[in-house]
Each structure stands twice: as structure tokens, then as C-alpha cells.
Amino acid sequence: MKLVTIVIEELARSTVERALQKIGVHGYTVFPVEGSGAKGQRIGDTPESGNLQFQIIAPEDRATELMEHARKELFPHFAVIVYETDVRVLRPEKF
């Protein structure tokens, strides 16, 4: 299985959620995050200026589709980081 992590601006939340549904992701975890990077520090003083981190566990083919979607549809419009990690999960049938 793959763990796809998406760190993106709060204002993109509904865009990401629609994409996950369209791709057929069965579930995800999302939480607010803070940090500093190429675009400076993002501390999330207000919800609309914060960042979210989505974590999605999916089979490799679905993870590849999700990453390709992010490259085409999210990168041009939002400050976003996407990465994938191999994971071993118990009860993989849930994903």
C-alpha cells in the first residue's frame, strides 16, 4: 500500500475532498499544520491562511492516479506539496 500525503492551503480543502471522492478513495485523515518553506512561514493565524495535511492510504494504482491528479489540477493553482511512501497496513481490505 501507499501513503500519499498532501500539504495544501486551507482554501483548497473542498477541491481536494472532491478529487478524493472522484478517484474513489475510501477514506482519509486531515488535520491543520504549520511550517516554513519556500513560500515563507505559514502559521495559520486564521483558517483561510493555514495549511492542511491530508493523509491517504491507497493501493498503488489509486495512489498513482491521485498524485497525477495533484500534479495536473492542484500544482497550477495552490501552494502544495505531495509525496508518497510505502506502508504496510493491517486489514488492507479497508483501503
Side-chain angles (χ1 to χ4, degrees):
M1 300 294 278
K2 300 291 184 175
L3 169 65
V4 178
T5 301
I6 302 171
V7 180
I8 195 162
E9 303 167 70
E10 167 75 38
L11 62 95
R13 182 180 187 137
S14 61
T15 302
V16 174
E17 290 172 336
R18 281 193 304 272
L20 295 175
Q21 184 177 26
K22 178 181 176 185
I23 291 167
V25 169
H26 296 150
Y28 58 89
T29 302
V30 62
F31 45 92
V33 294
E34 296 180 2
S36 181
K39 297 198 180 224
Q41 190 171 14
R42 305 237 347 160
I43 58 172
D45 291 355
T46 61
E48 56 276 353
S49 71
N51 283 337
L52 296 175
Q53 181 170 319
F54 286 81
Q55 291 188 324
I56 304 102
I57 296 174
E60 186 170 2
D61 60 338
R62 193 164 295 132
T64 299
E65 184 178 356
L66 176 56
M67 292 188 70
E68 184 62 20
H69 177 85
R71 186 183 66 75
K72 288 180 179 177
E73 302 297 330
L74 300 178
F75 286 10
H77 306 290
F78 302 103
V80 60
I81 297 169
V82 180
Y83 57 94
E84 172 186 276
T85 313
D86 290 327
V87 293
R88 188 175 66 172
V89 300
L90 299 176
R91 300 190 309 168
E93 65 278 1
K94 290 185 59 81
F95 302 94

